């Protein structure tokens, strides 16, 4: 079954620094992968998704992620962190459930940004 | 932009009481999902509907949880009786019939506190 593992439950960066949030997937077939962001007491907002087109995916708010099959990774990056990026980030894979079309999430990474 | 509507936003209930959450997906979205998110963790799938039919409820604690989507549109998730461990955010999401590669949209969630 498909699954994702997020490495690091908490990442801290300074404003203007590179953001790197790590996600590795486990899948026997080419996966559809997603990154979501969640602000306190809110739902999930899609940042970007990989659906087997281009391996470098650009999303909203300056985020991007690169699908690397050889490393089974889909890490999320942003060149320069902003205070407003502080939030919880979730990596997810489609199809890890019985019906094959639900999103299965990692445990999340909390991003803190200091001035 | 179309949204997934959820109500209530917050709910406090006493242990052993019944509680219900409502979700109205995006118009035309055939697939509806209910997730539970315990504080500090990633969302976990509870149940998935395709139109009015349950296609995956393998992770739903059926002794106390029930879900329905009678006309294939809006959905209700019920807990009876509520336990302290049910305190969590309950998220609803919807996607088109062809699956989530075209995108999943999440509601703002219902924050349940059981006292």
């Amino acid at each position: 079954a498909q699954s994702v593992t997020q490495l690091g439950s908490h990442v801290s960066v300074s404003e203007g620094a590179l953001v790197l949030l790590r996600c590795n997937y486990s899948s026997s077939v080419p996966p559809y992968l997603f990154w979501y962001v969640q602000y306190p007491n809110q739902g999930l907002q899609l940042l970007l998704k990989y659906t087997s087109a281009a391996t470098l995916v650009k999303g909203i708010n300056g985020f991007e992620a690169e699908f690397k099959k050889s490393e089974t990774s889909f890490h999320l990056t942003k060149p320069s962190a902003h205070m407003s990026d502080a939030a919880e980030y979730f990596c997810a894979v489609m199809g890890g459930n019985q019906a094959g079309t639900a999103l299965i999430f990692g445990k999340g990474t909390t991003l803190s940004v200091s001035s | 932009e179309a949204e997934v509507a959820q109500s209530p936003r917050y709910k406090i209930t006493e242990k052993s009481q019944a509680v219900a959450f409502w979700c109205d997906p995006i118009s035309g979205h055939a697939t509806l999902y209910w997730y539970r998110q315990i504080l500090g963790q990633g969302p976990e799938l509870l149940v998935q509907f395709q139109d009015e039919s349950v296609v995956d409820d393998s992770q739903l604690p059926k002794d106390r949880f029930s879900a329905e989507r009678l006309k294939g549109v809006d959905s209700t998730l019920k807990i009876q009786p509520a336990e302290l461990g049910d305190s969590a955010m309950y998220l609803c999401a919807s996607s088109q019939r062809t699956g989530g590669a075209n995108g999943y949209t999440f509601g703002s969630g219902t924050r349940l506190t059981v006292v």
Side-chain angles (χ1 to χ4, degrees):
Chain A
Q2 283 93 327
S3 64
V4 291
T5 302
Q6 291 184 244
L7 304 176
S9 60
H10 199 160
V11 171
S12 297
V13 300
S14 299
E15 193 172 23
L18 171 72
V19 174
L20 171 60
L21 304 181
R22 301 176 186 273
C23 174
N24 287 89
Y25 68 90
S26 173
S27 177
S28 58
V29 297
Y32 288 174
L33 295 162
F34 302 75
W35 275 101
Y36 281 86
V37 62
Q38 186 178 37
Y39 298 98
N41 282 318
Q42 293 189 24
L44 299 169
Q45 181 184 9
L46 178 67
L47 285 174
L48 50 80
K49 62 182 178 182
Y50 168 75
T51 56
S52 73
T55 56
L56 181 62
V57 183
K58 294 187 183 297
I60 63 171
N61 302 339
F63 284 93
E64 62 181 38
E66 186 172 8
F67 174 75
K68 291 187 176 181
K69 184 177 179 180
S70 61
E71 299 178 7
T72 61
S73 69
F74 189 59
H75 301 332
L76 182 70
T77 61
K78 182 173 182 178
S80 177
H82 192 272
M83 297 292 287
S84 61
D85 294 326
E88 188 82 11
Y89 291 81
F90 293 97
C91 181
V93 62
M94 187 183 88
N97 72 315
Q98 186 173 294
T101 56
L103 282 180
I104 305 302
F105 288 87
K107 295 185 181 300
T109 299
T110 301
L111 176 65
S112 299
V113 182
S114 58
S115 57
Chain B
E1 184 177 339
E3 294 184 348
V4 174
Q6 288 190 249
S7 66
R9 284 282 282 123
Y10 301 92
K11 180 70 177 180
I12 299 175
T13 191
E14 294 184 347
K15 185 175 60 174
S16 81
Q17 295 299 302
V19 63
F21 316 125
W22 178 79
C23 172
D24 190 12
I26 289 176
S27 178
H29 277 194
T31 312
L32 184 148
Y33 313 82
W34 282 102
Y35 286 86
R36 176 172 60 185
Q37 184 180 21
I38 296 171
L39 191 63
Q41 298 184 23
E44 297 176 317
L45 180 70
L46 290 175
V47 62
Q48 178 181 346
F49 288 91
Q50 186 74 23
D51 299 308
E52 68 276 9
S53 300
V54 173
V55 295
D56 186 355
D57 63 357
S58 57
Q59 302 303 310
L60 188 71
K62 298 181 189 63
D63 57 336
R64 298 184 300 107
F65 285 65
S66 64
E68 62 183 16
R69 193 184 183 197
L70 294 176
K71 297 183 178 179
V73 180
D74 59 336
S75 175
T76 302
L77 179 69
K78 297 178 181 177
I79 308 175
Q80 182 174 16
E83 296 181 351
L84 295 178
D86 296 330
S87 294
M89 174 79 88
Y90 290 83
L91 294 164
C92 179
S94 68
S95 67
Q96 294 177 354
R97 184 180 305 277
T98 52
N102 290 324
Y104 301 81
T105 303
F106 283 81
S108 297
T110 295
R111 169 72 67 187
L112 173 67
T113 303
V114 182
V115 298

